[in-house]
Amino acid sequence: MQWKPNTTVAAVIEKDGKFLLVEELIEDELVFNQPAGHLEKGETLLDAVKREVLEETAFDFEPKALVGIYLYQNKSNKNITYLRFCFHGSCIKKYDERKLDHGIIRTVWMSKKEIEENKRMRTPMVLKCIEDYKNGNSFPLTLLNFSPNNHE
């Protein structure tokens, strides 16, 4: 039987030594996460991360590089595994009038130390992606290939 992980995208956005996170309500618990979400049918990974950052933070996002590709098993439901593509980049415009996505309480900027000390990270992937970014993981976006059907 073929197994299919849930494909997700995430964004590491650093400004003045702090990282942009979202506080979100997941299963009646407030947690912090990078702006992140699921790849939708017909989307490229770059389109997905731009859309997710906009929906969750009200910022336009410009991906600069791929930080890494991660496989993570859901701790509360062992039948769910995520294949996460994490990008780093920058926010280029904010839409103050835009409402944040359902479940997102607010955006917050945290230092790496604050993230390390915070016990409400959604998954260990939040810190892992930031550590990989800080360690210089930066792969060109040309690493990602698109089928002719997605981008002509």
Side-chain angles (χ1 to χ4, degrees), residues 8 12 39 42 46 48 55 66-68 76 85 88 102 109 117 133:
T8 62
V12 172
L39 177 70
L46 294 177
E55 289 175 355
L66 180 69
V67 173
S76 61
F85 291 80
H88 81 81
H102 178 74
W109 293 89
E117 293 172 354
Y133 163 76

Side-chain angles (χ1 to χ4, degrees), residues 119-135:
K119 303 298 181 209
R120 291 193 299 130
M121 291 299 134
R122 182 166 179 186
T123 72
M125 289 287 90
V126 176
L127 183 57
K128 175 66 175 148
C129 290
I130 288 170
E131 287 173 342
D132 287 351
Y133 163 76
K134 293 297 276 181
N135 287 332

Side-chain angles (χ1 to χ4, degrees), residues 18-104:
K18 296 201 174 207
F19 295 92
L20 181 60
L21 300 180
V22 296
E23 187 174 27
E24 58 186 341
L25 188 60
I26 301 294
E27 298 174 4
D28 296 325
E29 186 179 346
L30 282 175
V31 295
F32 292 99
N33 195 9
Q34 273 113 4
H38 292 267
L39 177 70
E40 293 181 358
K41 186 176 180 173
E43 262 185 332
T44 67
L45 293 166
L46 294 177
D47 290 341
V49 74
K50 289 176 185 180
R51 176 185 50 75
E52 287 292 347
V53 172
L54 179 62
E55 289 175 355
E56 295 191 357
T57 71
F59 278 105
D60 275 336
F61 176 68
E62 182 180 321
K64 297 193 183 317
L66 180 69
V67 173
I69 302 169
Y70 306 86
L71 203 57
Y72 177 75
Q73 188 175 33
N74 185 311
K75 296 283 187 228
S76 61
N77 184 343
K78 300 286 186 197
N79 293 323
I80 299 176
T81 300
Y82 299 99
L83 179 62
R84 175 186 257 213
F85 291 80
C86 184
F87 298 88
H88 81 81
S90 50
C91 296
I92 52 178
K93 181 179 179 183
K94 181 158 190 196
Y95 300 91
D96 290 322
E97 74 287 350
R98 186 179 173 95
K99 218 176 151 184
L100 300 181
D101 211 3
H102 178 74
I104 304 295

